[in-house]
Amino acid sequence: CYNNFFGQNAGNANTTGCHNTLIGNRAGQRFTGSNNVAIGNSALRGQNSQSTGVHNIAIGAEAGCAITTGTDNVFLGRCSGRKATSAKGNFFVGRDNANDTAFTGNYNNGLGRRAGMCLTTGNYNNLFGQSAGRNLLTACHNNFLGLNAGCNNETGSYNNFFGANAGRYFTSSNNVAIGASALRGSSGNSTGGQNIAIGKQAGCSVTTGTSNI
């Protein structure tokens, strides 16, 4: 059984886990699983004896620090995946991804600071850009690309927003917005579904409208 532990309390509770590389103060401190990589202060620190996850990579201070049974996750950046527990198959790069509430979602991808920051049980979301999908909670199958794209959406699913502020205030499902501020909407009022808007600021004032092109 081969492990590499460097740092005060790194891998401190590991008695059976193998093939782990834990570097940093308290890195993997409470982890007992195998095939994990943690680099940074409290990266993959774990939660007492509950942290049995395997095949996780966490690089950055407190990255993935709350994982318990989560597997096959990659969290790169300070506090990236900080609230992930049993989450599986997620890939996040940036500061404060999945860092607001206990995160158990699966197969999400995020790139950018606070992309998917509030995710809880959401699955299969792709979020690229600072604060893209920042407020997503339980939503699934969304594709957001651009600064603040889909930022205020919490539960709406099957949306495609491409462009800075595209669909920023929309909270519903089945919308397509391509272009800066396309379907931007209005805070607290944009609940329309099944809309398609292509072009800069196309449909940017839609609130409850549905089935528009």
Side-chain angles (χ1 to χ4, degrees):
C1 190
Y2 301 95
N3 293 293
N4 297 292
F5 301 157
F6 302 96
Q8 184 175 359
N9 292 318
N12 186 60
N14 194 341
T15 56
T16 57
C18 296
H19 308 294
N20 296 289
T21 298
L22 311 174
I23 303 173
N25 179 37
R26 295 188 294 179
Q29 180 181 12
R30 300 166 184 155
F31 248 74
T32 60
S34 299
N35 300 294
N36 296 289
V37 175
I39 301 175
N41 180 34
S42 294
L44 284 185
R45 184 179 62 229
Q47 300 185 43
N48 298 322
S49 61
Q50 303 172 16
S51 298
T52 58
V54 298
H55 299 289
N56 295 289
I57 299 174
I59 299 177
E62 297 190 10
C65 69
I67 287 179
T68 54
T69 57
T71 63
D72 301 299
N73 297 289
V74 176
F75 297 120
L76 308 179
R78 180 180 175 185
C79 295
S80 182
R82 182 171 173 265
K83 294 290 187 174
T85 56
S86 60
K88 180 171 67 174
N90 297 284
F91 182 90
F92 282 101
V93 179
R95 181 176 174 178
D96 294 327
N97 316 116
N99 183 32
D100 186 69
T101 309
F103 172 49
T104 61
N106 303 319
Y107 306 111
N108 297 285
N109 298 295
L111 174 62
R113 183 175 182 178
R114 295 178 180 168
M117 183 176 76
C118 299
L119 274 168
T120 55
T121 59
N123 302 315
Y124 301 104
N125 295 290
N126 296 296
L127 315 168
F128 302 104
Q130 181 173 319
S131 293
R134 183 182 66 194
N135 292 331
L136 285 182
L137 297 174
T138 60
C140 299
H141 299 283
N142 291 291
N143 297 295
F144 299 157
L145 173 62
L147 172 68
N148 293 321
C151 178
N152 280 35
N153 192 352
E154 296 182 354
T155 59
S157 299
Y158 299 99
N159 294 292
N160 294 284
F161 298 147
F162 304 123
N165 294 307
R168 178 171 182 172
Y169 296 111
F170 260 72
T171 59
S172 51
S173 301
N174 302 300
N175 294 289
V176 175
I178 301 175
S181 294
L183 284 185
R184 182 183 62 228
S186 176
S187 180
N189 297 311
S190 298
T191 58
Q194 299 177 327
N195 295 290
I196 299 175
I198 300 176
K200 183 178 180 180
Q201 296 184 338
C204 67
S205 297
V206 171
T207 54
T208 58
T210 62
S211 305
N212 296 290
I213 298 177

